[in-house]
Amino acid sequence: MELTIFILRLAIYILAFPIYLLNFLGLWSRICKKCFPYFLARFTVMYNEQMASKKRELFGNLQEFAGPSGKLSLLEVGCGTGANFRFYPPGCRVTCIDPNPNFEKFLIKSIAENRHLQFERFVIAAGENMYQVADGSVDVVVCTLVLCSVKNQEQILREVCRVLRPGGAFYFMEHVAAERSTWNSFWQQVLDPVWPLLFDGCSLTRESWKTLERAGFSKLKLQHIQAPLSWEMVRPHIYGYAVK
């Protein structure tokens, strides 16, 4: 099996050589930064259609974590195009963080389509270093399809815990590595070396649930599912929330 994976990976390396060359020259990341938001805008429409029931279930109790004022203060890390906005409760105060400034025009469109929310600001920053957000200043942090691509999962979760108020919650929905010894796992391993180049750092083989279990939350509610998605590679999912 390992030999087969090696041979198939080698074939993919050869086929993808132009991309690797552009990446070596420092050009590919610039192209991706500009083009990826357009891809994600299309992908999230499909993803929301196929995952709508799971998202409604996941975000159904968000309001329970609102502070004394009754208004929920929410920080979305890796906000992308704002695909989660329609699932947030009315009056929710939303701050968005993403390292790619090219998402801003897509966010503006999503804000216009979701007038039930109170949008506060868009911060251009990586989730591993959210120094612009004060300690203990938000009720909820949301992160969907982000832990697959961050450089340091442990650091981003430390930042999440820092900005959450005591008793606040971290909501997540992530695609993860498939169960070992399955065909899905086999193809994830074959494609994983080139996948991050094509999809802005995304990895197919991360066992993100293990990082969440080690993060030190007082409560962790986590479920494994096979998401009803067209792309079999990203069907293995985890979703749930953790309380600080």
Side-chain angles (χ1 to χ4, degrees), residues 42-210:
R42 291 179 176 272
F43 173 79
T44 51
V45 170
M46 177 199 72
Y47 187 85
N48 270 354
E49 286 176 356
Q50 297 174 343
M51 295 293 287
S53 63
K54 292 298 180 186
K55 282 196 174 186
R56 281 192 291 268
E57 177 189 339
L58 174 64
F59 297 128
N61 69 335
L62 275 175
Q63 193 60 40
E64 293 177 12
F65 292 97
S69 68
K71 281 198 171 184
L72 185 72
S73 174
L74 184 150
L75 171 68
E76 182 162 354
V77 180
C79 57
T81 61
N84 290 325
F85 287 178
R86 67 187 180 100
F87 299 99
Y88 296 157
C92 178
R93 301 197 309 270
V94 179
T95 297
C96 291
I97 283 188
D98 201 287
N100 190 342
N102 296 299
F103 278 118
E104 187 168 14
K105 68 177 182 180
F106 295 92
L107 275 179
I108 291 170
K109 181 175 181 291
S110 291
I111 292 161
E113 293 170 350
N114 291 276
R115 295 294 187 182
H116 65 290
L117 302 178
Q118 182 182 332
F119 184 76
E120 298 202 324
R121 57 176 174 150
F122 173 50
V123 179
I124 300 170
E128 292 93 335
N129 184 15
M130 301 186 288
Y131 68 90
Q132 301 95 328
V133 184
D135 296 3
S137 60
V138 298
D139 301 315
V140 166
V141 177
V142 171
C143 188
T144 61
L145 302 183
V146 172
L147 293 180
C148 59
S149 60
V150 298
K151 293 179 180 178
N152 189 322
Q153 289 186 336
E154 288 80 5
Q155 177 59 25
I156 198 171
L157 291 179
R158 281 193 290 270
E159 279 290 271
V160 166
C161 289
R162 180 185 66 79
V163 302
L164 276 174
R165 64 165 176 80
F170 173 58
Y171 283 73
F172 55 88
M173 179 177 281
E174 301 287 339
H175 74 84
V176 293
E179 185 179 348
R180 301 286 177 87
S181 302
T182 62
W183 277 113
N184 203 349
S185 176
F186 171 82
W187 285 111
Q188 283 183 342
Q189 291 178 68
V190 169
L191 295 171
D192 196 52
V194 74
W195 199 267
L197 286 177
L198 298 175
F199 299 104
D200 200 27
C202 174
S203 171
L204 288 169
T205 57
R206 288 192 178 176
E207 297 175 329
S208 302
W209 65 90
K210 294 182 179 180

Side-chain angles (χ1 to χ4, degrees), residues 4-38:
T4 305
I5 290 172
F6 174 78
I7 293 170
L8 289 171
R9 278 184 174 179
L10 185 60
I12 288 171
Y13 281 132
I14 294 169
L15 291 171
F17 176 75
I19 295 175
Y20 283 102
L21 180 60
L22 288 172
N23 189 56
F24 176 76
L25 296 172
L27 300 174
W28 185 250
S29 61
R30 297 180 195 174
I31 295 169
C32 282
K33 286 288 183 186
K34 290 187 177 180
C35 296
F36 189 67
Y38 291 92

